[in-house]
Amino acid sequence: MKILLVGSGGREHALALGLRADSACTELHVAPGNPGIAEIATLHPLDVTDNSAIAALAQSLSVDLVVIGPEIPLVNGAADSIRALGIPVFGPSKAAAQLEGSKDFAKGVMLDAGVPTAHSFTCTSQSEIEKALDTFGAPYVVKDDGLAAGKGVVVTDDREAALNHALACNRVVIEEYLDGPEISLFGISDGRNILAMEPAQDFKRALDGDLGTNTGGMGAYSPLPWAPEDIVEMTYENVLAPMIAEMAARGTPFVGLLYAGLALTKNGIRVIEFNARFGDPETQVLIPRLKTPLATLLYSAATDNLDDKVLNWSPESAVTVVLASAGYPESPIFGNEVSLPTSSAATIYHSGTAQSEGRLISKGGRVLTVTGIGENLSSARAKAYATIKGITLENSFYRTDIALAASKGK
Ligand code: AMP
Ligand code: GLY
């Protein structure tokens, strides 16, 4: 099977390694990729915002499967352009990707599907906004309706800050505050069936102790020893399966990865958000633990063939730590030389790196993600941190407390 994977981050590096590990994958093309992915796949230049360029590349390579990593091409409808050529795609249509592209749309589907989420109002005027803020009270949760690259959500006790953020959005969802630990639980769907993956936890704040600003994610781990034992079944029954059924009933089946961001509240699980793609950096802990051959699995999903399929997992633990450019997420400093150890106990995934005059340099906010695997979270942490300490990159930082509490049984 010839596969084209679209994207260029740490998520795509982990997916590329997973696809390569499946002997069914005979040729792997990645566009645009990065220097880490170049070691295991053929790279092609690509503007991922150009649907016809993506479709043309898939056609010229005569691939059997396209896997789309990032949200922007999905929300733009790249999967539709590729499907129109008769090529199987792992990734939702433009209509189905609205689950990530519009918070208001996602709320409507959840309402119809009976999926538990925070009560909310969608507002377009100042009077609606003020009424919603005062209905729920502090802490205020204010979400830009559209894609906002991780900058769309403000959670604050400050009514004025909440109001200002809401007024800066075109359409805004204001919702009830959900109290409880957050987890990420993904499902792989062919449009009718959905296979729930194991849960992971992402660390969204920039600094140790969950301080600092929200980021795309500074680290992750899986499994979650503290989570309820039936968390996967509960999420499947109450969230993933009803969402897939509702999307199919609307005539817009969701084929691809449905990412449920959940809060475990004292009243039960509640959906915080959906994404229409693999999460980053959760993918860097889930794919190394997934034993089911990945290329075959994603091809089965893309060709409506997940009946009777199951996922098999390694019992080992995985911890990933993000090495970020100083100033990330607001104003990352990059262009610095990256020096990697020649051998390491952990896997180093490239996120924002580039080659420049024969040197590896930093090119993005998140530069590398380092995943350690071990028999428990402590040994996985030890490997990830030993490896990250051996990387030299001026103007960089990482969190030192990824999976720390969970490794101590908290
Ligand atoms: P999102 O972009 O939807 O993932 O939101 C970013 C972060 O805001 C989440 O990871 C949560 O920490 C927080 N958040 C979003 N919605 C709520 C909510 N209803 N209650 C509490 N925190 C929330
Ligand atoms: N890790 C959060 C995300 O991928 O959106």
Side-chain angles (χ1 to χ4, degrees), residues 51-72:
N51 288 353
S52 44
I54 301 174
L57 180 62
Q59 191 169 40
S60 72
L61 294 169
S62 355
V63 294
D64 304 292
L65 172 68
V66 180
V67 178
I68 302 179
E71 62 272 26
I72 288 175

Side-chain angles (χ1 to χ4, degrees), residues 94-113:
K94 179 173 185 157
Q98 282 299 299
L99 285 179
E100 174 160 4
S102 164
K103 308 247 182 218
D104 175 58
F105 175 81
K107 285 285 180 189
V109 179
M110 284 188 267
L111 198 66
D112 289 350

Side-chain angles (χ1 to χ4, degrees), residues 168-367:
C169 306
N170 247 337
R171 201 146 68 128
V172 64
V173 173
I174 294 177
E175 68 179 35
E176 170 198 8
Y177 178 79
L178 298 172
D179 202 6
E182 279 177 49
I183 68 167
S184 306
L185 206 147
F186 303 166
I188 291 177
S189 183
D190 62 5
R192 293 177 299 115
N193 305 286
I194 185 159
L195 305 178
M197 298 182 81
E198 291 218 338
Q201 191 170 43
D202 176 19
F203 290 72
K204 292 220 161 119
R205 298 298 190 106
L207 306 174
D208 282 3
D210 290 330
L211 299 173
T213 39
N214 253 319
T215 70
M218 293 297 295
Y221 67 98
S222 174
L224 313 180
W226 53 267
E229 231 170 82
D230 60 349
I231 185 68
V232 176
E233 290 80 23
M234 214 159 58
T235 306
Y236 173 82
E237 293 282 331
N238 295 305
V239 178
L240 299 178
M243 288 300 287
I244 292 304
E246 176 61 26
M247 292 301 284
R250 290 176 173 223
T252 51
F254 185 98
V255 176
L257 188 122
L258 183 61
Y259 169 135
L262 304 169
L264 307 186
T265 75
K266 61 179 194 306
N267 301 318
I269 55 173
R270 296 284 182 275
V271 173
I272 289 188
E273 63 160 345
F274 284 112
N275 292 319
R277 40 133 189 118
F278 282 97
D280 190 334
E282 293 96 321
T283 302
Q284 291 92 308
V285 292
L286 291 170
I287 294 301
R289 295 192 55 234
L290 182 66
K291 292 289 162 231
T292 309
L294 187 65
T296 309
L297 174 66
L298 301 188
Y299 183 78
S300 302
T303 54
D304 193 14
N305 200 13
L306 284 182
D307 300 270
D308 310 320
K309 300 281 194 308
V310 288
L311 300 182
N312 295 309
W313 295 92
S314 156
E316 288 182 311
S317 295
V319 173
T320 198
V321 182
V322 173
L323 183 69
S325 298
Y328 173 71
E330 292 92 350
S331 45
I333 302 175
F334 38 82
N336 289 101
E337 183 160 1
V338 183
S339 151
L340 301 178
T342 45
S343 74
S344 68
T347 307
I348 300 172
Y349 298 109
H350 290 233
S351 295
T353 63
Q355 289 287 355
S356 169
E357 296 165 4
R359 297 175 317 146
L360 188 66
I361 60 164
S362 55
K363 196 194 123 185
R366 293 187 290 184
V367 182

